[in-house]
Amino acid sequence: MARNHKSTPQCTPADTGAPVSVEQISKLLPVMSQIDLQEKNLARQLEWISRHDSKASVVLGLATGMLGFLASTAPKPGAFSPLLLVFTSASIVPLVASFLFVHLGNYPRMRGPKSLAFFGTIAQLRFDEYKNAVLSRTPQTHLEDLLAQSHTVACIVARKFSALQWAYRMLFIALMPWAVCIFLYKAS
């Protein structure tokens, strides 16, 4: 069976209104074991965010360096020939696009299910509301909250890495015209 490399993640908000029955879950694992597994899964999902941020900083550094080198070696504005303008534009446009995709990947996403595993939801509650919500939870509602939060974080990570892929593509597209610009700048 051929793999579809362009599959779109199913990142619609989780429906937490229709809980899975305890009997269905208990057939596979007790609720507490499932909670443990989901907490580990959520931690893994969150680790992917820092992996994204590390890779994005490399793209950002390269794009900044390339743009800075163009700016520092460019001839005076009146000395640009039409050929030089074409290659300079062909370098700058994808480098700026790379910046934009890095920004899209790094921009904080604050929407998602109301979850007591999410700092945004917790911060909106007064302490007594938060305390009551946590203390009144059943293991089942805690598990459902973790499932919804894991799904939300996975969708966020998928969008971050999609933007990062485009940032890499734009950086790669900028390489050839950038190299030609450097050659032409030194020749002029």
Side-chain angles (χ1 to χ4, degrees), residues 9-185:
Q10 297 300 313
C11 292
T12 55
D15 178 15
T16 57
V20 178
S21 73
V22 175
E23 294 82 28
Q24 291 172 323
I25 295 173
S26 298
K27 287 179 184 176
L28 298 174
L29 286 172
V31 173
M32 296 310 288
S33 295
Q34 291 224 1
I35 287 172
D36 184 52
L37 289 173
Q38 285 307 312
E39 285 175 343
K40 289 176 183 174
N41 184 41
L42 182 57
R44 273 193 305 273
Q45 299 294 330
L46 292 170
E47 285 175 14
W48 278 102
I49 292 173
S50 51
R51 290 180 187 151
H52 165 274
D53 293 347
S54 296
K55 293 175 185 292
S57 65
V58 171
V59 174
L60 186 62
L62 285 171
T64 302
M66 290 170 71
L67 204 52
F69 195 77
L70 278 180
S72 68
T73 59
K76 295 186 189 293
F80 274 86
S81 67
L83 182 65
L84 210 50
L85 280 172
V86 167
F87 278 102
T88 301
S89 298
S91 300
I92 291 174
V93 168
L95 287 173
V96 169
S98 185
F99 282 121
L100 291 175
F101 283 115
V102 168
H103 171 72
L104 286 174
N106 284 338
Y107 192 78
R109 302 211 177 35
M110 303 295 288
R111 287 190 219 144
K114 295 292 181 193
S115 170
L116 292 178
F118 174 53
F119 69 90
T121 302
I122 296 169
Q124 291 175 353
L125 301 172
R126 292 187 325 265
F127 174 71
D128 60 324
E129 291 173 328
Y130 172 67
K131 180 176 139 184
N132 290 337
V134 170
L135 295 176
S136 66
R137 292 176 81 149
T138 66
Q140 182 66 32
T141 57
H142 181 62
L143 175 60
E144 290 169 11
D145 188 12
L146 288 172
L147 289 166
Q149 189 62 24
S150 290
H151 183 264
T152 299
V153 171
C155 292
I156 290 169
V157 170
R159 285 191 296 266
K160 284 176 154 298
F161 273 93
S162 177
L164 183 61
Q165 286 176 326
W166 279 103
Y168 273 115
R169 288 175 186 137
M170 293 298 107
L171 191 64
F172 183 74
I173 288 170
L175 281 176
M176 186 58 72
W178 179 82
V180 171
C181 276
I182 300 306
F183 175 77
L184 292 174
Y185 287 0

